[in-house]
Amino acid sequence: MAQVKRIRRNVSGIILLDKPLGFTSNAALQKVRWLLNAEKAGHTGSLDPLATGVLPLCFGEATKFSQYLLDSDKGYETLMQLGKTTTTADAEGEVLQTRPVTVGRADIEAVLPAFRGDISQIPPMYSALKRDGQPLYKLARAGEVVEREPRSVTIARLELLACEGDTARLAVDCTKGTYIRTLVEDIGEKLGCGAYVAQLRRTQAGPFTLAQTVTLEELEAVHAEGGNEAVDRFLMPSDSGLLDWPLLQFSEHSSFYWLHGQPVRAPDAPKFGMVRVQDHEGRFIGIGEVSEDGRIAPRRLIRSE
């Protein structure tokens, strides 16, 4: 008997998932996509299986704006295990070296200023960065180590929350592309005892915080009671990650031409930069950029919300 192809729904919006421990970001995405029966889906930056916390999942038209969440600042809390280093710089790797821990709160506080502000990081071998089309983590698993270019990142906040025995808990606010595993490993070397990430929780992604998230268990419970449509109640508008952008509302005339790819003028437009755009009925219809002549050029469009 031929298998009946599942007809997926055209739903749009963002679900803020509290990613569970042990899931890859893609596995979590596919699970929620199944619960929604959504046609199109994407996530906004990977979290390691070891990590939990804020993972914005984009569906339908919202996937057009996922890049702006990828580029946004992030916040984390991490538990740093002192005295050991591992192959992956986290608890999932094999222990490479064990050293005595003779440092305390004052010692940790003393080294943290060196890691605040603009710093340089060498990405870990166990990362999704690619070399000649191959992810570095695949090369690492094969025992290969290749040279990686340092990258500049900014640590806006680095605070010691707690210190007990051979562990320390840190809060980190940082720019995109920051590797918390590398940060912890580098702090451990500065302390002279080594360290790895024992726990990692993302507390913020762009404008989104843990307080706004929903768990996979909550989504499954709602789905069990009401099916795919019941899960829709957790969908936030497609422009939820862009609420700090200037908002323009076009007339019916301007909306028509703008949605057909034509730049238009708006009397209340800023002099430069990116803007969110609504039509005359208040529906989000895309994002635009103010050009030199003052017109709003369409950059990403949606037909309806």
Side-chain angles (χ1 to χ4, degrees):
M1 182 181 293
Q3 187 174 5
V4 178
K5 185 177 180 181
R6 190 181 194 192
I7 300 176
R8 295 191 179 272
R9 300 192 303 141
N10 183 20
V11 294
S12 294
I14 297 172
I15 285 183
L16 298 179
L17 182 70
D18 184 348
K19 189 189 84 66
L21 184 69
F23 276 69
T24 65
S25 293
N26 188 59
L29 170 68
Q30 296 307 324
K31 179 64 176 177
V32 178
R33 181 187 183 192
W34 183 87
L35 292 173
L36 277 170
N37 192 29
E39 184 176 10
K40 190 175 182 181
H43 62 73
T44 58
S46 295
L47 281 173
D48 294 334
L50 175 79
T52 63
V54 183
L55 182 65
L57 304 177
C58 298
F59 299 93
E61 294 294 324
T63 61
K64 295 180 178 179
F65 314 103
S66 60
Q67 183 61 45
Y68 301 100
L69 284 170
L70 277 168
D71 293 342
S72 64
D73 294 345
K74 308 294 191 299
Y76 298 91
E77 284 190 14
T78 183
L79 182 66
M80 182 168 64
Q81 175 64 58
L82 301 168
K84 293 180 181 180
T85 57
T86 72
T87 52
T88 57
D90 63 24
E92 296 189 327
E94 297 177 8
V95 175
L96 289 173
Q97 188 178 22
T98 301
R99 284 175 271 180
V101 179
T102 59
V103 298
R105 174 179 286 273
D107 303 292
I108 299 172
E109 295 276 18
V111 304
L112 293 186
F115 297 95
R116 296 187 182 116
D118 298 331
I119 65 170
S120 180
Q121 285 191 329
I122 297 177
M125 277 299 301
Y126 280 87
S127 67
L129 293 177
K130 292 185 177 180
R131 170 67 62 87
D132 299 327
Q134 278 281 83
L136 290 183
Y137 66 82
K138 288 191 176 181
L139 299 177
R141 287 170 183 166
E144 296 184 46
V145 177
V146 298
E147 188 174 348
R148 287 96 67 203
E149 289 292 324
R151 57 166 60 179
S152 296
V153 297
T154 301
I155 308 297
R157 177 192 178 209
L158 179 58
E159 182 182 349
L160 179 61
L161 300 178
C163 182
E164 184 177 350
D166 59 357
T167 63
R169 189 170 295 277
L170 302 174
V172 185
D173 292 343
C174 55
T175 53
K176 72 162 188 173
T178 301
Y179 286 97
I180 304 301
R181 285 177 291 142
T182 299
L183 177 65
V184 165
E185 195 171 49
D186 290 346
I187 291 172
E189 289 307 308
K190 189 84 170 177
L191 289 168
C193 60
Y196 67 80
V197 170
Q199 297 174 5
L200 182 62
R201 186 155 176 76
R202 186 190 280 167
T203 56
Q204 187 164 355
F208 302 129
T209 66
L210 273 173
Q212 299 168 279
T213 60
V214 60
T215 66
L216 194 54
E217 289 79 7
E218 289 174 304
L219 292 174
E220 288 173 329
V222 168
H223 179 270
E225 286 190 9
N228 305 128
E229 290 80 5
V231 183
D232 290 355
R233 77 187 217 207
F234 295 102
L235 285 166
M236 302 172 69
S238 295
D239 61 339
S240 297
L242 312 174
L243 296 184
D244 57 338
W245 290 23
L247 176 64
L248 300 178
Q249 186 167 14
F250 287 170
S251 66
E252 185 174 5
H253 179 81
S254 293
S255 297
F256 174 84
Y257 284 102
W258 197 73
L259 284 170
H260 285 80
Q262 300 299 312
V264 301
R265 295 188 181 278
D268 51 351
K271 293 184 178 180
F272 60 89
M274 302 292 290
V275 295
R276 288 184 297 136
V277 177
Q278 292 180 347
D279 66 9
H280 62 292
E281 294 182 342
R283 293 173 298 194
F284 175 57
I285 56 174
I287 60 174
E289 186 173 8
V290 183
S291 58
E292 291 183 359
D293 64 3
R295 294 188 297 173
I296 315 302
R299 291 292 176 252
R300 299 291 284 177
L301 303 175
I302 62 176
R303 297 295 173 181
S304 62
E305 178 70 347

